[in-house]
Amino acid sequence: MATSYNTIVKDGLWENNGVLAMLLGLCPTMAMTTSATNGLGMGLATAVVMAASGLLVSIFRSYITQEIRIPVYILIVAAMVTLVDLSMNAWMHELYKVLGLFIPLIVSNCLPLARLEAFASKEPPAQSLMDGIFMGIGFTLALTAIGAVREITGSGTLFADASLLLGPAFKFMEMRVLPADTGILMMILPPGGFLVAGLMVVGKRMLDVRAGKAIQMGGAHSAA
Amino acid sequence: MKLFPVRGGIHPDYRKEQTSEKAIVAMPLPAALYIPLQQHIGAPAEALVQAGDVVKKGQKIGRNQGAVSATQHAPTSGRIASVTEVPAPHPSGLPTLTIVIEPDGKDEWAELPAPIADPFAADMQTINARVAESGIVGMGGAAFPSAIKLNLGTQKKLHTLLLNGAECEPFLTCDDRVMREHADEVIDGARIMAHALGVPNIVIGIEDNKPQAADIMRKAASAFANIQIAVVPVQYPMGSEKHLVQAITGKETPARMLTADLGIVVHNVATARAVHHAVRFGRPLIARVVTVSGGALREPRNVEVAIGTKISDLVEFCGGFAQRPERVVNGGPMMGQPLPSLDAPVVKGTSGILALTAEEISDRPTSACIRCGTCVTICPCGLSPVEMSSFIRKDNLEVAAKLGVMDCISCGSCSWVCPSHIPLVHYFNYAKGMLNAQTRDQRKNERIKTLVEARTIRIEKAAEAKKAALAAKKPAAAAAPAAPATTTEEKANA
Amino acid sequence: MIPVTTSGPFTHKANSVQNVMATVLLALLPATALNMYLFGWPAIFLFAVTIGSCVAVEAGCLMLYGRPVKETLSDNTAVLTGWLMAASLPPWAPWWLGLLGAVFAIAMAKHAFGGVGQNVFNPAMVGRTVLLVSFPVVMTAWVAPHPLFSANAPGFADAIAITFGGHLPDTMSAASALGYVKTELSRGIPVTQSMTQVPDLMDMALGYRAGSLGETSALLILAGGLFLMYKRIISWHIPVSVIGSLFLMGTIFHAADPARYTSGMFHVMSGATFLGAFFIATDYVTSPVSKMGQLVFGAGVGLLAWTIRTYAGYPEGMAFAVLLMNSLTPIIDQYTRPRIFGRSRKGEPLPLAKEKA
Amino acid sequence: MSQKNMLTHGVILGIFCLGFGLVLAVTNSVTVDDIAARALEDRQNSLSQVIPNEIHDNNVVKDTLTMKNNLGKEITVYRATKDGKVTGVAYEIYGTGYAGEIKLMLGVAADGKVTGVRVLAHKETPGLGDKIEVKKTDWITRFDTLSLGNPPIEKWKVKKDGGQFDQFAGATITPRGVVKAIREGLEFFEAHKAEMLAAATPTANPDADKSHTKEEH
């Protein structure tokens, strides 16, 4: 009973967006969105973990019995996170310096765990991989958008240090939107994260309401 | 007398001066009297007369039915025009069965029950029977049949009769005038009631804004050592019986209990006077003093009026309206009820008819609650109106019930004080109604359930009996008598 | 023929939200007027801009929500928010500070929560705090008093340059007393010594000192607060518990180590203590409704304000303290409900006392 | 749950743990060298900001002394050497800011001139005190080439206290703390010059020894 790819893509990017619809993974959302680049990096790292763990769980789903599923999920997510952590430290060190502290936090992010439980444990590997990727991309988009708003209003720049993350070729993305020293500092402090995330949730719902859709309430509220 | 503090309360504009110095005047009989068969809490009375009958003043025309009910009497002599449906003095304006009397102008008394020569020698039952027979109900507004309250002495250990002359509602002065002009009757009635209740002490609670009444009552009571006058502070709702008891004794009536559980029975001063009339002269309750007041009225006054007088006639007697009233209220402005029509009659519980101007009502459109907390501070019941109303607005009645909405006495203090003019009492009355209905439904369902269960058991038993019978007798012969037996039983319980 | 609608009562106290708010504004007037005089035209401009922005943002939000604009605006709550926020700004701050503060105070802190009566946090303090955190330099650019029409006061044109052009004269900056003591302490100068440099308590009480646009005169604020109490707009519970706990903390620690801790009296007289205690912590919407709850709330505000002033990164802690306690208001409300008549605190009917015949 | 079931679950869980443990072990062994190298580079990078590359030919990270500073705290002194001679040292200094300790790395040339100062950690007010970070402003670079005699010792203060260093708008305490820390750092250098510049073979730094690094210098 495989879900169509179309639904997977739509769910991940918009309908069931991890941050904006399910309100999951708020811890990294608040902590890592002080700039668009940080949001992008954190999102991508999470996406990799989600895709890999989704695939693994789906492959092994017939062996993972009901009773031990939670420890196994956590084991898999934690292993993937450690993998990403180690390889980034070794081979993408500049990015690691930016995100390093927060990579281990992916373990405590409820979003991967939620998708493993709700999707990968029931669907075939290809679908699960897709779900991990698109949920991850949806997460990345949300984080990048929140990061962009906070960065512009808070520091007056956009995609600062993008070249550290994506390579020197992406230097062109780094821009200054407002003159130096004019940002609203609070926006890059934790309250700004809550504010922008909240407004984005409102924005999404307004668009959904306008489109005549029923509002999806987050079933689970993340503690992470 | 030592008094005790009472929580909360408000100090509304009393405006009692409009009528407080006006002596009670008797109103001439109107062209027709309308006596609803239900003027009290409980079951309606059963009509004893029909159209065309001729009745005398004081003749019983409605008989009480059931445990909580009251009899009705003809306020004057005349002919029964009809027994028909007339709008009741109730905000719904729904018609109730009413006896319409056309007075013959002779005002002839019927043969009254003999006066009880020495009520203090008579036993309780005699007096209670007389009070019940005379159709006396609580005249403070609640209109609860008084005989039942007088009977509490047989069930509870009582020690005090508290006569409520607080009259804390703004505008109303009828009790004030009754105390001032008929102090001896009130005191005598109180003594008779105390005797009937078997209590040694009588305390008469009077708010501090009626010093003359207090003085006169004190003088009238000076001959009796067991009567004390308690002058209580002016603080609405001092007239609420549980609060009056607290102010005078310091005791707080536990929730869902009666003041009688503390050994105190509370009666209104006007009720005491009615008891005096019934016991000493055999006269039933056929007239009462009503305060007719309000800025829209030409001549506010206290009127002794026959029960059943149309409110429009009463207003006419008081000079009619000087201006269009913003609202006409039956009772006091705080806890009274809006009158849907002036066609409704004065009943036994009518303490006042107020024609209020917009300025006296001083209402504004409701605005958002600003959580000022004044309602919490002044609530005499210790409730949090601000919280309860917000839950009721979301129709979350369970939480409102948990917060104590059922303990609200609807005194109106919170609505009065609210700067946002939120109709809090309206919310609470709604919630109380809904919650009561829920409880009733639940009880009904439980009753049905037990009945169904009983029936199932019965049918099973019958089936077993049948089986046993079948086993005992021959199969063909047994079936016939058993079947009809079950059917009849079922029918009886349907 | 006669309208019949609701239950009673059919008489009401002659009051309204509008009157309540207007009375609060009236109470603020003397202190604000004095500061207008002391800090001159730039202060007046900033004051006008801040209130104007608040009203404009409120109107905008109401329109966006499709609510009646005129009726709601006339309740004066937006004006009060603007006034209180303006009172907490440095007097010569630039105009955009007022505007931005208004957006955060009215749009974010008030209307995002549902408008009047629904906000969890005091809007004026949210505005002030956001500005303080976001623009620490501008928000701490205090000036010494330059009374209107005095020799070195900025003229009308200079004032326009200060408020709308952002030309804050460099030489005119001064430190607030709380800030000065904290700065000196960090240099290793004990409080006992730095206290000799701050204006004496009398000047602080009268208001002739550097400070925010509407809060330098402790005496006039106090007078306004007492007026509100007299008018029964506020009760004594919150102000007394705020000032009491602040004074107590200050006095105890000062007694223990006068070189490290300023005195309780100094805490009470300086900064926004009086404004906070009488006008901000007492905000109806964001403080508990029961008297018991108000005492708890006020004590919390005083305690937090002292802690923040003494140990945290900001010299003044009133706004933060109020906001922190605001977030506890629903919980305080829940645990400090009055006892229901005839019931125990737990909600059980009272036991029937045994009668002695 | 029956005992057998319990056993099955345990076995499955054990297999998963074993499998992923193995995967992680492999990853770790593949990355461990690179990660160590990166860590060393990081430290070198931060040191190279306060000790210019031109003045040394050694690996500064590996040539260390452990000393006690004025507060009795053990600090690591990194030494830059060229042709076997100590040309400069770098060590951590501590200042008191508005909101607590400010940790800085001070580089001093053998002649007592500052080769560079960088803030390592601080808790100053964002937007006010954080201008000491080189990422925010170049304020901290003004100390380069200065020494205890230049400016004279009484001028090693912020302007507000009669010295020669600018404070920044709205913040006096932070720059004051930094200036004081640097002055004391230089005084520490003066006092322990001989010890620091002694051309001895570096005392073994346990950290540097443990990590068998692929040297790039």
Side-chain angles (χ1 to χ4, degrees), chain D residues 79 91 149:
Chain D
R79 304 203 298 181
Y91 46 92

Side-chain angles (χ1 to χ4, degrees), chain A residues 92-115:
Chain A
M92 294 163 82
H93 193 69
E94 288 306 318
L95 179 58
Y96 183 76
K97 279 202 281 192
V98 184
L99 299 178
L101 196 59
F102 301 96
I103 300 282
L105 281 182
I106 300 177
V107 183
S108 70
N109 186 339
C110 292
L111 184 59
L113 209 58
R115 291 319 291 174

Side-chain angles (χ1 to χ4, degrees), chain D:
Chain D
M1 211 191 290
S2 76
Q3 204 126 54
K4 195 185 154 220
N5 254 339
M6 198 107 112
L7 195 69
T8 322
H9 295 315
V11 169
I12 296 175
L13 198 56
I15 291 172
F16 271 108
C17 289
L18 208 66
F20 283 103
L22 219 67
V23 170
L24 289 183
V26 170
T27 319
N28 185 47
S29 66
V30 171
T31 54
V32 67
D33 289 346
D34 279 314
I35 290 174
R38 292 298 97 75
L40 198 65
E41 277 171 30
D42 283 351
R43 210 179 303 162
Q44 278 166 356
N45 280 342
S46 70
L47 281 176
S48 73
Q49 291 193 314
V50 294
I51 299 182
N53 284 332
E54 306 88 69
I55 68 163
H56 67 97
D57 57 5
N58 68 332
N59 184 350
V60 181
V61 177
K62 297 194 75 181
D63 190 351
T64 61
L65 284 175
T66 305
M67 297 179 73
K68 272 201 166 130
N69 71 3
N70 294 342
L71 304 168
K73 192 169 171 178
E74 289 218 333
I75 52 166
T76 305
V77 177
Y78 299 91
R79 304 203 298 181
T81 57
K82 196 165 197 175
D83 307 327
K85 262 184 76 181
V86 180
T87 51
V89 291
Y91 46 92
E92 279 178 10
I93 55 174
Y94 304 91
T96 309
Y98 194 76
E101 191 183 73
I102 304 172
K103 206 159 122 185
L104 305 112
M105 180 66 82
L106 171 69
V108 190
D111 58 2
K113 279 186 183 160
V114 173
T115 51
V117 194
R118 288 296 178 272
V119 174
L120 299 177
H122 72 85
K123 288 178 269 183
E124 300 306 280
T125 319
L128 265 185
D130 63 355
K131 293 194 180 124
I132 52 175
E133 288 175 41
V134 77
K135 254 166 83 184
K136 300 274 155 70
T137 67
D138 62 354
W139 182 81
I140 199 85
T141 62
R142 293 177 201 186
F143 294 93
D144 294 2
T145 76
L146 300 183
S147 65
L148 268 191
N150 167 36
I153 187 81
E154 67 272 13
K155 285 285 182 187
W156 273 91
K157 289 174 184 166
V158 290
K159 278 188 176 154
K160 199 170 182 181
D161 302 336
Q164 85 154 39
F165 298 100
D166 284 332
Q167 58 266 23
F168 18 81
T172 317
I173 301 175
T174 311
R176 185 184 276 155
V178 172
V179 172
K180 184 162 171 256
I182 297 174
R183 195 188 69 220
E184 285 170 0
L186 289 174
E187 284 165 358
F188 180 72
F189 176 78
E190 283 302 320
H192 301 86
K193 210 173 183 175
E195 198 181 333
M196 286 184 185
L197 299 181
T201 40
T203 42
N205 182 339
D207 272 353
D209 263 4
K210 237 187 267 167
S211 54
H212 32 88
T213 51
K214 295 177 202 156
E215 297 277 344
E216 257 133 305
H217 282 261

Side-chain angles (χ1 to χ4, degrees), chain B residues 14-179:
Chain B
Y14 282 96
R15 300 178 196 267
K16 291 194 190 245
E17 66 290 346
Q18 289 186 20
T19 52
S20 62
E21 300 313 313
K22 292 195 178 155
I24 300 168
V25 285
M27 177 178 160
L29 285 172
L33 291 170
Y34 301 80
I35 296 111
L37 285 164
Q38 173 150 34
Q39 308 183 17
H40 47 261
I41 291 176
E46 180 192 6
L48 295 175
V49 290
Q50 48 196 355
D53 287 2
V54 173
V55 292
K56 292 266 175 67
K57 183 174 182 178
Q59 181 183 331
K60 197 184 282 184
I61 54 173
R63 180 175 41 211
N64 55 337
Q65 299 191 99
V68 182
S69 187
T71 50
Q72 313 296 352
H73 302 80
T76 185
S77 59
R79 199 181 62 89
I80 305 294
S82 60
V83 179
T84 181
E85 304 229 299
V86 163
H90 183 268
S92 67
L94 288 177
T96 59
L97 203 59
T98 302
I99 298 171
V100 185
I101 302 177
E102 279 169 4
D104 55 14
K106 292 180 216 152
D107 209 21
E108 265 181 306
W109 281 100
E111 197 177 317
L112 296 175
I116 300 175
D118 183 1
F120 303 105
D123 61 5
M124 289 182 185
Q125 282 75 18
T126 316
I127 294 171
N128 283 349
R130 173 58 59 86
V131 170
E133 200 183 333
S134 304
I136 298 175
V137 300
M139 290 169 78
F144 188 80
S146 300
I148 298 168
K149 254 170 131 179
L150 282 181
N151 237 338
L152 285 169
T154 60
Q155 301 151 24
K156 319 242 173 193
K157 207 169 157 86
L158 304 177
H159 54 75
T160 302
L161 167 68
L162 177 54
L163 217 51
N164 187 348
E167 202 167 48
C168 59
E169 280 267 11
F171 289 94
L172 300 190
T173 57
C174 53
D175 289 351
D176 184 14
R177 290 314 306 185
V178 166
M179 286 189 284

